[in-house]
Amino acid sequence: MKKLFLLVLLSAVACGAAAHPDHIYGVRVGMNIANMTFKAGGVSATPNSVVRPLVAFSYEKSLMQTVPLYFETGLGIAGYGTSVADGAMKVSAYYFEAPALVNWHFGLTDDVALIPYLGLSLRVGFAGNAKAGSEKTSTFGDDGFDRFDMGVRAGIGVEYRRFSFRFGYDAGFLNLSDTSDLTVRNKTFQLQLGYRF
């Protein structure tokens, strides 16, 4: 019985090694349900969330021959921001974004896989504005937020053949504010639809 179990286990590992590709390229579109947290003088505030678009090219490299464990990266454009006082002030921030994740393609059937992922996201801001009434200022720059941001990202995806849906959360841990007594951080839920080549 033990030999039979060992034989089945080794066969499953061998089939898994043969079944998963070494390189995976893909595209993703979706949205960020974005927000920012503000903390000043020991008081924290989280305004209203806003919806911002995202689009990305993705690349995954197999880390092991025997199991479908991947390093995932890519390049995308993603919107972040927040809404204060029921829209009296709105902040939009657009970033070039590159993740550095590890994911696992856990096959449920020949066509369906669950893909949990965890890692970091790196961002560089390139556009955006803060609007209050008729006044508008740039989100980034001398009087705005720092352009560079980094966050911890975790989530799970479901893949059917070449199509996928992902749900994740990204928690920025760098302070975007240059003001000494103010801390501002990005937070967002992500919904993504993807296609792999």
Side-chain angles (χ1 to χ4, degrees):
M1 189 65 176
K2 289 182 180 178
K3 290 182 179 180
L4 179 60
F5 175 75
L6 184 59
L7 181 61
V8 170
L9 181 63
L10 290 175
S11 297
V13 169
C15 290
H20 76 274
D22 193 38
H23 305 275
I24 301 174
Y25 300 88
V27 292
R28 298 189 184 129
V29 296
M31 64 181 179
N32 279 345
I33 304 171
N35 210 330
M36 292 177 167
T37 59
F38 296 81
K39 185 175 181 180
V43 178
S44 298
T46 302
N48 298 321
S49 298
V50 293
V51 176
R52 297 286 186 259
L54 67 87
V55 60
F57 294 96
S58 63
Y59 170 69
E60 299 172 58
K61 172 69 173 80
S62 176
L63 296 176
M64 302 177 70
Q65 292 183 350
T66 55
V67 294
L69 183 69
Y70 287 85
F71 171 74
E72 177 184 336
T73 187
L75 182 62
I77 295 175
Y80 290 75
T82 192
S83 174
V84 182
D86 293 327
M89 178 180 177
K90 290 186 177 181
V91 178
S92 63
Y94 290 88
Y95 293 86
F96 293 113
E97 191 170 62
L101 310 173
V102 174
N103 72 46
W104 179 286
H105 290 237
F106 183 74
L108 299 178
T109 69
D110 290 341
D111 294 328
V112 179
L114 285 179
I115 308 173
Y117 57 91
L118 176 66
L120 299 175
S121 58
L122 311 173
R123 294 182 281 273
V124 178
F126 69 91
N129 59 67
K131 185 176 181 181
S134 59
E135 295 186 14
K136 185 184 292 186
T137 60
S138 176
T139 302
F140 305 108
D142 295 337
D143 298 323
F145 295 146
D146 287 341
R147 293 182 183 275
F148 183 74
D149 190 23
M150 182 182 296
V152 175
R153 181 172 295 181
I156 192 163
V158 179
E159 185 176 77
Y160 174 71
R161 296 184 179 174
R162 294 181 178 271
F163 298 92
S164 66
F165 172 78
R166 284 187 168 200
F167 174 78
Y169 181 71
D170 192 303
F173 55 78
L174 296 185
N175 183 11
L176 304 178
S177 173
D178 287 332
T179 305
S180 60
D181 60 345
L182 177 64
T183 301
V184 181
R185 292 188 174 93
N186 278 315
K187 310 288 182 187
T188 185
F189 289 98
Q190 292 188 325
L191 302 175
Q192 301 178 25
L193 294 175
Y195 179 82
R196 66 177 176 85
F197 303 108

